[in-house]
């Protein structure tokens, strides 16, 4: 399964980092109860009480937004869909756009209200639109969390508010995993990076609850959260020089501490890590084909992606490859004909990639061979 391949990739990347962990400086003290720093490729860079179950408040909405983006990107929903507010959705407290029962807004506007204004009423309205009921949507949230490897998460609603004594619980580790998955849908950044906007044809203004958008260089999202029992929480994503990092902070004592902790985590990540994209071009030259109707076949490499490595480690990364001197026809497009390996400075393999035939090549038949012999004999007379 796709998520298993991603998990394996993350594990391999983590092994690279672990082997060099002693060289990293220490993280300064944090004021929050729990925190985690991840790269967008899923590599864990730092964890502090990251498996402690805590309330995420509105950071819950990263899962709501993930299910929205998955529905849109799969074609099961459209940003142009009209979403109707129900009495239940309109009854939500906390941050909201004062949705009225029967009022209709596009999914685009609903998503904007969720991502920018943290609208609890819109989160529930969209949940009902996509799943038929909020309860059914919450089942999907919990099922998706398990698929992503979240082990300490139980969602009880689509927005993170307490519900009849029930509380959403999750961990910094799990929120980071969900955030990583959300960033696999680049369109979400069009929403989470908005500073101010309007909905209802300009009649209702939205101001992003994530003030780090104006305070931190490279900030692109994702979501803040606060209720009194949860404290101040955030999943903060930032991008610099091709490296995207996610800092999760839970149960900070106040807004300033939340911002300070998230900034410290991100600063640590950008100071010590870099994005490394392996150059596999040398492994992809044409390969001679024996007894083929074409003399050569192109070689394509599986997408190497980007690895998160320590900065001093990046210069020592290399790519080695193993492929035959030639291949005998017939050749099928996509068949594996070799392997490329990304090596760290110690020569250890940190990522293995398949080299594949880029096209079909048919085998010469008897008549083809006979004609070739005749041509060769005639040319030698």
């Amino acid at each position: 399964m796709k998520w298993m391949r991603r998990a394996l990739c993350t594990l391999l990347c983590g092994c690279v980092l672990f082997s060099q962990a002693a060289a990293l400086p220490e993280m300064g003290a944090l004021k929050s109860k729990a925190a985690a720093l991840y790269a967008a490729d899923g590599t864990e860079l730092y964890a502090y009480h990251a498996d402690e179950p805590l309330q995420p408040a509105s950071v819950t909405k990263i899962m709501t937004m993930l299910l929205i983006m998955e529905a849109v990107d799969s074609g099961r929903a459209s940003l142009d869909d009209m979403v109707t507010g129900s009495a239940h959705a309109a009854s939500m407290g906390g941050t909201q756009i004062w949705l009225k029962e029967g009022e209709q807004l596009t999914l685009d506007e609903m998503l904007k209200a969720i991502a920018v204004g943290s609208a609890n009423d819109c989160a529930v309205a969209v949940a009902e639109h996509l799943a038929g009921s909020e309860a059914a949507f919450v089942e999907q949230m919990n099922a998706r969390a398990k698929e992503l490897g979240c082990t300490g998460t139980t969602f009880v609603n689509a927005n993170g508010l307490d519900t009849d004594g029930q509380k959403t619980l999750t961990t910094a580790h799990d929120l980071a995993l969900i955030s990583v998955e959300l960033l696999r849908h680049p369109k979400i950044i069009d929403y989470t990076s908005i500073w101010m906007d309007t909905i209802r044809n300009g009649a209702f203004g939205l101001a992003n609850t994530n003030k780090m958008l104006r305070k931190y260089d490279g900030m692109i999202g994702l979501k803040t959260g606060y209720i009194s029992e949860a404290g101040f929480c955030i999943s903060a994503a930032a991008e610099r020089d091709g490296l995207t990092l996610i800092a999760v902070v839970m149960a900070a004592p106040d807004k300033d501490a939340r911002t300070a902790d998230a900034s410290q985590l991100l600063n640590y990540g950008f100071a010590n890590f870099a994005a490394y994209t392996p150059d596999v071009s040398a492994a992809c030259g044409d390969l001679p084909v024996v007894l083929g109707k074409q003399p050569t076949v192109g070689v394509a490499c599986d997408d190497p992606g980007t690895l998160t490595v320590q900065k001093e480690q990046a210069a020592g990364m290399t790519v080695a490859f193993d492929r035959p001197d030639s291949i005998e026809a017939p050749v099928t497009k996509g068949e594996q004909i070799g392997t490329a390996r990304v090596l760290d400075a110690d020569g250890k393999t940190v990522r293995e990639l398949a080299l594949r035939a880029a096209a079909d090549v048919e085998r010469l038949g008897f008549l083809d061979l006979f004609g070739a012999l005749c041509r060769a004999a005639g040319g030698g007379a």
Side-chain angles (χ1 to χ4, degrees):
M1 294 176 66
K2 186 181 294 185
W3 70 269
M4 293 181 67
R5 292 196 297 271
R6 290 174 180 166
L8 179 58
C9 173
T10 299
L11 177 61
L12 288 172
C13 293
C15 291
V16 180
L17 296 168
F18 182 79
S19 67
Q20 301 288 330
L24 287 171
E26 291 186 4
M27 176 75 70
L30 299 174
K31 295 181 180 180
S32 53
K33 285 187 179 180
L37 176 66
Y38 273 63
D41 66 1
T43 304
E44 182 184 279
L45 306 179
Y46 179 80
Y48 173 70
H49 298 163
D51 291 321
E52 180 179 349
L54 295 166
Q55 290 181 256
S58 279
V59 185
T60 293
K61 296 185 179 84
I62 61 171
M63 177 58 90
T64 301
M65 291 189 290
L66 173 60
L67 294 186
I68 294 171
M69 295 311 301
E70 289 180 340
V72 170
D73 288 348
S74 68
R76 292 182 287 111
S78 167
L79 292 171
D80 295 326
D81 288 350
M82 298 304 298
V83 180
T84 303
S86 68
H88 174 57
S91 72
M92 295 296 112
T95 54
Q96 56 186 303
I97 65 163
W98 310 104
L99 187 68
K100 296 180 175 62
E101 182 180 359
E103 181 181 5
Q104 290 190 319
L105 296 173
T106 63
L107 181 56
D108 172 73
E109 286 194 297
M110 288 279 187
L111 179 54
K112 188 186 300 182
I114 294 166
V116 179
S118 196
N120 294 320
D121 44 6
C122 291
V124 174
V126 172
E128 293 173 333
H129 176 77
L130 293 178
S133 69
E134 186 184 17
F137 188 81
V138 170
E139 289 182 7
Q140 294 177 12
M141 294 170 73
N142 286 314
R144 192 71 181 98
K146 289 182 180 179
E147 290 175 355
L148 294 174
C150 300
T151 57
T153 296
T154 303
F155 293 110
V156 299
N157 54 37
N159 53 35
L161 293 171
D162 291 347
T163 303
D164 298 328
Q166 294 181 304
K167 302 173 184 178
T168 287
L169 290 175
T170 186
T171 67
H173 168 81
D174 289 357
L175 288 179
L177 292 179
I178 299 166
S179 299
V180 165
E181 194 67 21
L182 179 58
L183 285 175
R184 297 189 194 279
H185 301 269
K187 179 73 175 173
I188 194 62
I189 298 171
D190 293 346
Y191 296 89
T192 60
S193 62
I194 293 172
W195 177 242
M196 297 185 74
D197 209 331
T198 61
I199 57 173
R200 293 176 173 141
N201 295 318
F204 191 91
L206 299 171
N208 205 307
T209 59
N210 181 9
K211 306 310 177 187
M212 290 186 72
L213 285 169
R214 287 292 182 93
K215 295 180 178 180
Y216 194 88
D217 181 31
M219 181 64 51
I220 56 175
L222 288 168
K223 190 72 194 70
T224 61
Y226 170 77
I227 55 175
S228 58
E229 283 194 61
F232 292 84
C233 307
I234 192 170
S235 175
E239 190 276 333
R240 294 181 188 172
D241 299 323
L243 177 64
T244 301
L245 299 178
I246 300 160
V248 174
V249 169
M250 300 190 73
D254 53 53
K255 286 184 180 180
D256 289 342
R258 175 175 68 187
T259 297
D261 281 2
S263 298
Q264 182 172 323
L265 287 162
L266 292 169
N267 289 342
Y268 177 88
F270 288 124
N272 293 291
F273 299 93
Y276 168 74
T277 302
D279 182 1
V280 297
S281 58
C284 296
D286 287 351
L287 188 67
V289 179
V290 178
L291 298 176
K293 289 189 175 182
Q294 286 79 41
T296 63
V297 65
V299 177
C301 185
D302 286 354
D303 182 7
T306 298
L307 290 82
T308 303
V309 299
Q310 290 187 30
K311 284 189 173 180
E312 66 271 18
Q313 191 181 19
M317 303 289 288
T318 57
V319 176
F321 58 91
D322 179 20
R323 69 178 212 175
D325 295 329
S326 62
I327 186 171
E328 185 172 331
V331 179
T332 303
K333 181 180 179 180
E335 72 172 277
Q336 184 169 349
I337 55 179
T339 302
R341 291 175 293 115
V342 183
L343 309 175
D344 67 12
D346 297 323
K348 296 179 181 177
T349 299
V350 298
R351 184 165 293 181
E352 190 168 285
L353 308 160
L355 300 176
R356 303 183 185 278
D360 293 328
V361 179
E362 295 181 19
R363 185 180 178 88
L364 290 170
F366 174 78
L367 293 178
D368 298 311
L369 292 171
F370 182 74
L373 289 173
C374 290
R375 288 191 295 273

